[in-house]
Amino acid sequence: MHVISPLIFVSGFFLDTPPVNTVCICEKARVHDGWCDVCGFGWIAGLKIPSKLLFTTIDHGHEVSVDVLRCESCKRAMKTDGYCDLCKTGFFKTKIYYSSFTHCLAKGERIDRSKITCATCLRNMEEGGWCDTCKRGIFGNVVVAQREHFDEAAAAFRRLKSGVAHLDKCELCGIAIYSNGMCPKCEMIYRDGKPASE
């Protein structure tokens, strides 16, 4: 008996594997910092990211075992879902994050704007900031309870917003603005979201 393996017929061709996601997942991606293949953009902290290159530049965490860590501070931080000031890395649920921004993204809770009644917190959603009244930090749709390293994370969120706004002019500059790096195309160096003199 001849057995035919299951194939998918698309536009006159048989494919061994199904095509990339064909259902819009923006609703989930907006909450969980994901990428929607159908719409061609992703979301970070509720901010729309229309560049796959910029989206993948942002660290989304990497599985790590404590056995491979050489830094004692990192080992302690991993046990407490904390942050190592020496290596500038954070840990959460067995994953390592290479910046305070992505560590805050991982640990932070997502909040709906309609559920915020504090005027300071509402302002903080736009550019990022700490509310002494509510004892929490907010950037985008991310709420963070820990004060330590929050200012660095909020600054990175502001750079990300600036980078996204610059994507139409030069995608690589947009990435360099976010990462405090250099655009290899324009040979422009960025610090704190602005061109640097050196």
Side-chain angles (χ1 to χ4, degrees), residues 113-124:
R113 186 181 187 91
S114 65
K115 300 198 175 149
I116 297 180
T117 56
C118 171
T120 301
C121 288
L122 280 171
R123 283 195 304 273
N124 288 343

Side-chain angles (χ1 to χ4, degrees), residues 48-89:
K48 183 178 174 181
I49 311 293
S51 161
K52 186 72 176 271
L53 193 56
L54 175 57
F55 182 82
T56 54
T57 298
I58 300 166
D59 172 33
H60 298 278
H62 310 272
E63 289 288 342
V64 65
S65 168
V66 70
D67 300 331
V68 303
L69 299 174
R70 296 182 180 178
C71 171
E72 291 301 320
S73 175
C74 280
K75 289 179 180 178
R76 289 192 297 271
M78 186 173 185
K79 290 176 183 176
T80 61
D81 286 338
Y83 191 83
C84 173
D85 288 305
L86 296 173
C87 301
K88 304 296 182 192
T89 54

Side-chain angles (χ1 to χ4, degrees), residues 119-157:
T120 301
C121 288
L122 280 171
R123 283 195 304 273
N124 288 343
M125 288 189 87
E126 300 305 321
E127 294 299 324
W130 187 266
C131 179
D132 288 319
T133 303
C134 299
K135 305 296 183 200
R136 64 184 181 184
I138 296 181
F139 53 82
N141 66 354
V142 178
V143 178
V144 180
Q146 74 269 17
R147 184 70 179 93
E148 193 177 19
H149 305 296
F150 174 79
D151 292 336
E152 297 168 23
F157 177 71

Side-chain angles (χ1 to χ4, degrees), residues 89-100:
T89 54
F91 298 86
F92 187 62
K93 293 184 177 178
T94 72
K95 283 190 175 183
I96 186 171
Y97 296 87
Y98 294 108
S99 73
S100 56

